[in-house]
């Protein structure tokens, strides 16, 4: 099964956590029949989100730890490079790259 996780879930699954999101990510990684799908857009957004002061207060990840986490995701996920097309979400065009 191909799986895409929202940036919020990937942020909650960071290496400093051990909750449900982290368990889900590890389950996907360890299962032979599941494939995590990421894109450059999602990974860039994840890097930005993990650097937010609010999230840094919850999970104080250094820039190196964030980079290692993103690299770990790239190492086991399949990275796709979706093309641009017509708008999908008129009310929230920033969501188009995710969809």
């Amino acid at each position: 099964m191909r799986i895409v996780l929202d940036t919020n879930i990937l942020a909650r699954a960071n290496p400093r956590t051990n909750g449900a999101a982290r368990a889900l990510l590890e389950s996907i990684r360890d299962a032979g029949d599941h494939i995590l799908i990421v894109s450059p857009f999602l990974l860039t957004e994840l890097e930005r989100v993990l650097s937010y002061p609010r999230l840094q207060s919850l999970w104080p990840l250094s820039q190196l730890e964030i980079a290692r986490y993103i690299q770990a995701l790239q190492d086991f996920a399949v990275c796709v490079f979706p093309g641009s097309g017509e708008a999908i979400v008129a009310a929230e065009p920033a969501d188009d790259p995710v969809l």
Side-chain angles (χ1 to χ4, degrees), residues 3 10 12 18 20 22-24 29 46 51 56-57 60 62 64 67 75 77 80 83 86-87 93 99:
I3 301 168
L10 291 172
R12 290 173 189 212
N18 53 2
R22 184 70 185 177
L24 173 63
R29 181 196 64 205
L46 177 60
S51 298
Q56 281 291 310
S57 69
S62 69
L64 180 59
D75 288 347
V80 298
E86 68 180 70
L99 297 174

Side-chain angles (χ1 to χ4, degrees), residues 2 8 14 19 52-53 57 75 86 96:
R2 288 184 229 142
N8 293 322
N14 77 73
Y52 286 167
S57 69
D75 288 347
E86 68 180 70
D96 282 350

Side-chain angles (χ1 to χ4, degrees), residues 51-98:
S51 298
Y52 286 167
R54 182 176 67 83
L55 292 185
Q56 281 291 310
S57 69
L58 292 171
W59 310 299
L61 293 161
S62 69
Q63 289 303 307
L64 180 59
E65 289 172 308
I66 293 171
R68 285 182 177 160
Y69 176 44
I70 290 171
Q71 184 61 55
L73 291 173
Q74 289 175 313
D75 288 347
F76 82 87
V78 171
C79 191
V80 298
F81 300 87
S84 60
E86 68 180 70
I88 300 170
V89 185
E92 290 291 334
D95 288 344
D96 282 350
V98 176

Side-chain angles (χ1 to χ4, degrees), residues 25-55:
L25 182 61
E26 289 174 349
S27 174
I28 294 167
R29 181 196 64 205
D30 296 341
D33 56 347
H34 298 322
I35 300 168
L36 179 66
I37 305 293
V38 297
S39 71
F41 176 85
L42 281 173
L43 296 174
T44 300
E45 183 176 52
L46 177 60
E47 180 179 19
R48 182 175 47 84
V49 166
L50 286 172
S51 298
Y52 286 167
R54 182 176 67 83
L55 292 185

